[in-house]
Amino acid sequence: MSVPGIVGLCHIGFAVHSIEEFRCTWGALLGIEDWLVRDVDHPDGLLQLHGEILGPSSGRVAFARLADTAIELVEPHRGRTRTSAWLEERGPGIHHLAFWVDDLDRAVSALGDGAEVSYSPVGRHPDTMFPMTAVVRGRGAMPLAPTPTDPGFWAYTESRDARVPWCLELLDARSTDVVRAAFGDHLVYPRPHHEDQA
């Protein structure tokens, strides 16, 4: 099993009970001062977790740059999400590595039976595919909601056999403009395609 078309690391994600506590401890130790914090609301039926269509949820995310790396903190508040389930099962810590891929459909297909699309917009999971019209609402534009014909440009995947627990988040590099509009330079983006050919 291999993931084709990885074009770069986007961020390292941490599941946390408190963004503020992380910012005051690890953030201070690492000298991170510039955080982008967003409240996120997911409406009923937007997301799936292991094939189960989820109800409404809310939480908060924070992004920061540390040298050439980006960090995401995910603090769930209400409802069931991958992060809230993770915190219940394993506690706070590294939750996912997020990589840009040049074609998300191809990357997910290449994972085959060795991995599961464990958390994503419902249209990305084979057992929950149906037209979506839900919209994510929060402070600022959150680039998470698919259009009725688009299953979404991100997916959390998990190995079915790995003993080391973490998620691999894949992001379609063709959506970097949407993500940059929401999060600015707090994330790491792949180089534009024309630079790769130079």
Side-chain angles (χ1 to χ4, degrees):
M1 171 181 73
S2 64
V3 181
I6 289 181
V7 293
L9 178 69
C10 178
H11 63 271
I12 300 170
F14 292 84
V16 298
H17 291 296
S18 168
I19 287 173
E20 192 56 34
E21 188 273 336
F22 188 100
R23 288 172 59 184
C24 292
T25 57
W26 279 107
L29 282 171
L30 296 170
I32 303 171
E33 297 177 359
D34 183 19
W35 291 89
L36 176 69
V37 181
R38 293 270 195 262
D39 290 327
V40 183
D41 294 318
H42 302 289
D44 185 38
L46 175 69
L47 302 175
Q48 66 81 27
L49 177 60
H50 298 292
E52 173 191 347
I53 298 174
L54 300 176
S57 64
S58 65
R60 179 171 284 172
V61 294
F63 292 95
R65 292 291 296 269
L66 176 61
D68 292 334
T69 304
I71 294 171
E72 177 187 25
L73 307 178
V74 183
E75 174 190 299
H77 291 172
R78 176 183 58 87
R80 186 164 163 76
T81 65
R82 184 66 193 114
T83 309
S84 66
W86 190 274
L87 285 167
E88 290 170 12
E89 296 165 10
R90 297 180 174 92
I94 293 178
H95 174 260
H96 64 272
L97 298 179
F99 286 94
W100 293 105
V101 293
D102 60 12
D103 184 318
L104 182 56
D105 292 329
R106 190 168 60 99
V108 168
S109 293
L111 293 174
D113 293 336
E116 173 193 10
V117 176
S118 58
Y119 185 59
S120 67
V122 294
R124 180 61 58 192
H125 192 281
D127 296 335
T128 58
M129 290 182 181
F130 63 90
M132 282 296 304
T133 58
V135 177
V136 169
R137 304 250 184 248
R139 280 193 220 149
M142 297 300 296
L144 301 173
T147 65
T149 59
D150 180 4
F153 64 83
W154 63 275
Y156 281 51
T157 63
E158 296 178 55
S159 171
R160 296 186 192 278
D161 300 322
R163 292 181 183 215
V164 178
W166 58 278
C167 301
L168 174 66
E169 181 180 7
L170 301 176
L171 301 158
D172 198 306
R174 295 171 293 188
S175 298
T176 55
D177 291 346
V178 175
V179 178
R180 191 184 297 275
F183 301 117
D185 291 330
H186 287 85
L187 293 177
V188 177
Y189 299 95
R191 292 180 304 170
H193 195 303
H194 66 276
E195 289 181 16
D196 292 339
Q197 297 176 347

